[in-house]
Amino acid sequence: GARWDTQSGTIAEACLQEVTSVMPVIFAKAIPADRQETKHTYECPVYKTKMRGSNYVWTFRLKSQDKTTKWVLAGVALLLEA
């Protein structure tokens, strides 16, 4: 699992016994694809609910100090449901 580290502004390893963690409100702003920051980011899938598949919304880039494979293997995703 993972959590958002507010001090470093990156995705980080989850705390022990923490199944889900809260993500702060995200300000999304459209920018041209050629100006996107792609280094040190994880392309995190966003879903409407815990049921993956047809509930996919989009991919959101989260800053990360670790390799992308770490988060992919951990199945890290953002959920829009409360």
Side-chain angles (χ1 to χ4, degrees):
R3 65 179 173 83
W4 186 253
D5 184 0
T6 53
Q7 291 182 344
S8 67
T10 62
I11 190 171
E13 194 73 36
C15 297
L16 290 176
Q17 298 182 350
E18 183 179 54
V19 179
T20 60
S21 62
V22 178
M23 182 74 172
V25 174
I26 299 171
F27 174 72
K29 179 180 172 185
I31 60 170
D34 61 340
R35 291 185 46 213
Q36 277 189 6
E37 184 179 332
T38 57
K39 273 191 161 189
H40 305 290
T41 60
Y42 164 57
E43 291 184 8
C44 185
V46 180
Y47 296 96
K48 292 179 191 173
T49 65
K50 290 180 185 177
M51 296 293 295
R52 296 184 182 206
S54 63
N55 292 314
Y56 173 79
V57 180
W58 82 87
T59 301
F60 194 83
R61 288 188 179 274
L62 298 175
K63 289 184 182 180
S64 173
Q65 295 175 349
D66 297 306
K67 293 187 179 198
T68 299
T69 52
K70 176 178 182 173
W71 307 121
V72 171
L73 292 173
V76 174
L78 292 172
L79 303 176
L80 296 177
E81 71 178 9

